[in-house]
């Protein structure tokens, strides 16, 4: 799909329980929100966003968990860019990009994020951290 998608001025913010079920719901609601913004299910952009949300939400649940605290998903449609942010309450522990290991069953999530996103990074919050990724909406 080479069409430019215009999503200017749109934002979606939702908190989820820091559980596998919460991470799965975040992924599903992200795809649903994109569809509402005109990015159809199954399109390249929708699939890429779904993978990124899935990986960042899973990391928030597995590595950013503070008992009793939720994680937050934010999607922001900026001119030519879609920004994904996943925030958790554990600021002292940042994302760890592991080297590839033959036979490993985990540790590839941030490699997927880096491969799919135009850029990504981490920013501190008053409580916790936010891991963000941006994708170009023009493909």
């Amino acid at each position: 799909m080479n069409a430019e998608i215009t999503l200017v001025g749109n934002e979606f913010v939702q908190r989820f329980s820091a559980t596998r079920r919460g991470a799965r719901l975040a992924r599903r609601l992200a795809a649903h929100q994109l569809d509402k913004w005109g990015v159809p299910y199954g399109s390249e952009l929708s699939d890429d966003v779904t993978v990124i949300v899935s990986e960042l939400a899973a990391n928030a649940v597995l590595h950013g968990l503070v008992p009793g605290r939720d994680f937050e998903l934010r999607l922001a449609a900026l001119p030519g860019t879609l920004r994904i942010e996943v925030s958790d309450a554990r600021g002292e522990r940042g994302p760890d990009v592991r080297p590839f290991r033959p036979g490993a069953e985990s540790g590839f999530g941030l490699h997927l994020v880096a491969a799919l996103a135009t850029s990504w990074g981490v920013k501190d919050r008053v409580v916790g951290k936010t891991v963000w990724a941006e994708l170009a909406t023009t493909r």
Side-chain angles (χ1 to χ4, degrees):
M1 179 175 184
N2 292 334
E4 182 172 340
I5 299 167
T6 305
L7 303 173
V8 179
N10 292 304
E11 185 175 72
F12 171 82
V13 180
Q14 179 70 48
R15 288 184 179 260
F16 298 92
S17 64
T19 62
R20 290 188 301 181
R21 187 176 191 177
R24 186 173 57 246
L25 182 57
R27 183 189 75 231
R28 287 183 168 182
L29 287 180
H32 178 73
Q33 185 62 46
L34 287 174
D35 188 63
K36 285 176 60 175
W37 285 343
V39 180
Y41 292 105
S43 66
E44 183 180 358
L45 181 59
S46 179
D47 289 348
D48 289 352
V49 169
T50 300
V51 169
I52 290 171
V53 168
S54 183
E55 294 300 333
L56 296 183
N59 283 350
V61 169
L62 293 173
H63 307 294
L65 177 64
V66 172
R69 298 287 181 108
D70 296 336
F71 73 91
E72 181 180 277
L73 169 66
R74 178 176 176 264
L75 303 176
L78 308 168
T81 302
L82 180 69
R83 184 174 176 98
I84 302 161
E85 296 182 353
V86 175
S87 302
D88 63 54
R90 196 151 185 204
E92 77 280 1
R93 188 171 182 183
D96 182 23
V97 181
R98 299 178 188 166
F100 287 112
R101 294 182 327 263
E105 294 182 7
S106 65
F108 301 107
L110 292 175
H111 291 285
L112 289 172
V113 171
L116 296 173
T118 308
S119 59
W120 74 278
V122 183
K123 65 180 182 178
D124 291 330
R125 293 171 43 127
V126 173
V127 175
K129 68 180 172 303
T130 298
V131 182
W132 58 268
E134 293 183 346
L135 290 94
T137 56
T138 305
R139 300 273 173 136

